[in-house]
Amino acid sequence: MGLLVFLNIVTPWVLAALIYYAKNDRVTNITAFSALPILLVFSYLIYINHTTSLIQTPEIVDYLITIYDFGLLGYFLYQGIVKKSTLVTSLAIIQILFLIIVLLMKIHSDIPNIYVDNLTILFYFIVALVGVPIAIFATKYMEFDERGKHKFVAIVIWFLGVMNFAVSVNNIEWFFALFETTTLASFVLIGFRKDEEATNNAVLALWMNQIGGVAILIALMVFIHINGFYHFTELLNHPLEVSLAGLGFLSLSALVKGAQMPFHKWLLGAMVAPTPVSAILHSATMVKIAPFLILRISPVIKGTLLAKLLIITTGYVFVVAAIIALTQSNFKRILAYSTISLLGLMMLSAAVGTPVAVVASIVLIIFHAFAKGFLFVEAGVLEKVFHVKYIEQMRRLIEKAPLTLMFIFFGFLNMTFVPFGTFIGKWMMIEEASKFLSHGSYIILILYVGAGSAFLSVLYMKVLGVSVRKAHGISNIKFFPLPKRFNFVSIWYYVWLLALTLFIAPFIADFVVPIANGITGESANIVSNHLSLYVGNSPLYFWEILGALIILSLIHALPYFVKFKVDTVHPYNCGEVFPKYMGTFNFECVKRYENILIAFSIALFILVVVLGGGLL
Amino acid sequence: MINWIIFAFLAPILGGLIYGIERVVKARMQGRMGPPVMQPFYDFAKLMDKRPLMIHSLHALMGIMYFVAEWFSLFVLFLGHDVLIAVFFHVLAVLALVIGASSVRSPYSVLGALRELMHMISYEPFMVLMVVGFYLVSGSFSINDILQSEPLIYKLPLVFMAFLFIIPMMLQKSPFDVAEAHQEIIGGPEIEYSGPFYEAVYTGKWIEYIYVFFFMFLFGGRNYILGVILVIFAFFFVNLLDNATARLDFRKMVKFSWIFLIPLAALNIILLALWR
């Protein structure tokens, strides 16, 4: 077991080193492909002999990580000085000081530093199934007028290993090291193109994420000072004694990593990087640390004031990010805002912390990872093959890029409609919140979920509406031949999403529910029967799932194949001559309030720190 | 169970009848005779007989998918037993309508589709709240349980009042008929359909009548007579409103819904939750 976990973490690093030093197209491509089966097999082997396990590591690793920590922070300091960013420099200095304090306070403890439970295994699977295909995609993507292909792919694969490590640590000090390593990874990846904009955004991402690092260090200090421990398992074993202030700071770092408002700017800044970066940041890694962290501590914070404040904050972000997404015209930014929004929902349901809510959170994490990876990959295809970046350019995409539009269509359907996973997450959340209503609280939760999902549906329908606009009479759609690796990745995601949706009931009941039970310690009342899903007393029958799936497949795929043999006419026009250009609502009116909305989110954020952390 | 299946199968006919009655009622309110009650079915026969014309296949297909999705969501409402899920299934029909309407290069149709989305923003969150209100009274999301609980209107009067104004939004009647505004965008999403394809959209609308008024019926709880009375009252009220008012700006619709109707429903639910 220990060996397998070790291999799962180290193999990506070895592969990355191989790619980095070989600098050979063939080696890069084959290695990237081979990472898929390798990581998948390791994850599967860990899954089948899964017992929640604590793994002892040699003493030396602890020292190595401490040395690595200082090296990393020194690098941040160096970058701060080189890039002339006072924020980065001062935050790095603060981090170094705090780290020294933490190390001085730290007491020796024999608790193993690696903790692998079902949640960790889930993330191994996500990294293998969602993350690696993006690396494969990157091998082709970087061949389109981009430089540094080998280096880029190497960083991406190395990042996957870091993510695997980050989700398996037990020691919070180690977690800090890996948290900052993901910060480093995002810094390097965002600044990859090395032009001015990229550098600025990389620095932005760096200092914002450093704030998260500082918050973890403060949390560590509080934990060690008040409770005397610094391991996740210890937190979970002593739920009543744990200091709320420490938990508050820990969840603060989650909010920063999860790009919740007002810290959403760094994730948007990541849009200047090559598209696989966005794909990997948004789907499999990085931002998913945020819901992961909240899920880790959710049994401890359940029902506290902190949990309620987290619910209010993240729910607010869920709605507001969806509203602001309506005003965007850059396709990648639209996707980014919808990620921020859905991350809010994931953290909200993780913070609620009841078994069903945790199941909802996990379902959202899984399906969001697949769908977002898918959508960003398609955004990359649009950008490189069809040179489309903005909504206005997406007009008549159905004639220009039919296959890609079909994939985007499917990805969008996955983000909001019945019977796909993201919908099921929302549905479970509303059902769960209705149960709380009987004690007269959490109505805001229902409003959040209802409103947010309405806005997201509008967003997706609006974008799709522009893309399917089609000239009269042109009926022969030409399928433009796309590179094989692009098609492989797209079809990979497509088939997974389709299969998971079709068998969603057994998937949730047999795979997700045990994970949630492991986290909460209670059993969620969710069962599947003949492919139908029963959440408590509410059924989602298989005929409903199948029927909706068929209708949606007909809507998104059939237009390419159905040709009615009837006469065609021109659109009715009242006899007027109009320019053949129709725009779409850009929701300018929201922009006026954008600053107010963000200011309010800052207020909520401070509330989490002050009240949730128990500072008052 | 079997009654529900039969009922769902007959929904288009029933919806057509309601539509016919509505035209008569509306005409009488305006002091006209109005067409015969069976007029929608005569229209049906006439439209089916017409020479089929279309803009392109995608557009025509979406018209048919609108009908299919609308009917399917009605089946889910009647057979699925979970009202909350039925609310979300209704979005499938909206999707088909919006995709179809925005797939043609006609300004009226595209504008109609975009306004249809504004409709969705206005009524979707309310519907979720309303169903949660049902849950609070009856203790279950299942239709069968709701139909056996005490009449919901006693406990959800404010939600009921708000729903009276949501109905015009869902059925596209004045003052909220912004999507199909006959005078300015001449039918909106459905303008480009003709012949049998228009027939599909037209019948889809009848089914939507059943869908919406069934929610009204649920307010009656186990008192079915009360439910029927509520439906008839809502029917007359909505038609009176339709006749008496002019169309509002879509911004006003969204504002009215978000500033007045949704808080009203939320207030009712909060008070109810505290009362228990």
Side-chain angles (χ1 to χ4, degrees), chain A residues 56-336:
Chain A
Q56 278 289 6
T57 45
E59 194 94 356
I60 178 92
V61 185
D62 213 10
Y63 293 116
L64 283 179
I65 288 203
T66 309
I67 295 167
Y68 169 76
D69 257 340
F70 282 110
L72 187 64
L73 294 176
Y75 179 73
F76 286 168
L77 190 62
Y78 166 72
Q79 285 296 338
I81 294 166
V82 170
K83 301 269 158 62
K84 293 194 182 63
S85 164
T86 21
L87 268 169
V88 173
T89 320
S90 42
L91 281 168
I93 292 171
I94 294 174
Q95 276 177 314
I96 291 174
L97 288 178
F98 281 6
L99 186 63
I100 292 171
I101 298 173
V102 167
L103 289 175
L104 290 177
M105 285 166 75
K106 201 167 101 174
I107 353 145
H108 181 75
S109 130
D110 284 331
I111 296 161
N113 287 323
I114 298 283
Y115 174 52
V116 176
D117 67 343
N118 286 329
L119 183 64
T120 311
I121 296 171
L122 168 78
F123 272 84
Y124 288 164
F125 271 116
I126 290 179
V127 167
L129 287 174
V130 183
V132 183
I134 293 170
I136 297 173
F137 172 74
T139 60
K140 182 74 197 172
Y141 179 91
M142 296 307 282
E143 284 170 14
F144 288 84
D145 52 72
E146 299 271 359
R147 278 169 297 144
K149 168 181 167 183
H150 308 293
K151 191 179 164 199
F152 184 83
V153 177
I155 296 173
V156 167
I157 291 185
W158 166 71
F159 192 12
L160 296 178
V162 172
M163 183 69 187
N164 271 345
F165 199 177
V167 293
S168 24
V169 292
N170 188 20
N171 187 330
I172 301 180
E173 191 213 330
W174 289 26
F175 184 76
F176 165 75
L178 292 155
F179 185 93
E180 286 302 11
T181 313
T182 58
T183 306
L184 172 73
S186 65
F187 173 71
V188 175
L189 285 173
I190 294 172
F192 191 77
R193 278 179 181 153
K194 294 218 165 51
D195 49 12
E196 200 191 335
E197 199 188 358
T199 312
N200 287 344
N201 284 328
V203 171
L204 182 78
L206 184 56
W207 71 256
M208 280 197 174
N209 278 304
Q210 272 179 307
I211 294 177
V214 172
I216 294 186
L217 285 175
I218 297 175
L220 260 175
M221 289 196 275
V222 175
F223 283 140
I224 297 176
H225 179 68
I226 297 180
N227 308 95
F229 46 67
Y230 52 97
H231 287 84
F232 281 121
T233 41
E234 287 285 279
L235 294 182
L236 298 176
N237 290 339
H238 306 93
L240 295 176
E241 300 162 26
V242 177
S243 140
L244 257 191
L247 292 171
F249 280 109
L250 213 51
S251 33
L252 200 67
S253 71
L255 290 180
V256 173
K257 206 48 146 184
Q260 299 297 285
M261 284 172 182
F263 288 96
H264 61 296
K265 286 268 160 48
W266 75 262
L267 197 59
L268 295 174
M271 297 296 119
V272 297
T275 309
V277 176
S278 321
I280 203 136
L281 289 185
H282 286 258
S283 63
T285 58
M286 191 79 176
V287 295
K288 287 290 187 314
I289 288 183
F292 166 79
L293 193 54
I294 304 275
L295 276 176
R296 262 271 182 275
I297 59 174
S298 77
V300 192
I301 61 171
K302 179 183 165 188
T304 58
L305 179 64
L306 175 64
K308 283 175 187 160
L309 282 168
L310 276 178
I311 290 168
I312 293 174
T313 317
T314 52
Y316 178 79
V317 173
F318 175 50
V319 178
V320 168
I323 294 175
I324 296 180
L326 289 172
T327 66
Q328 302 297 317
S329 67
N330 183 327
F331 185 56
K332 274 165 80 180
R333 284 175 82 91
I334 287 179
L335 296 182

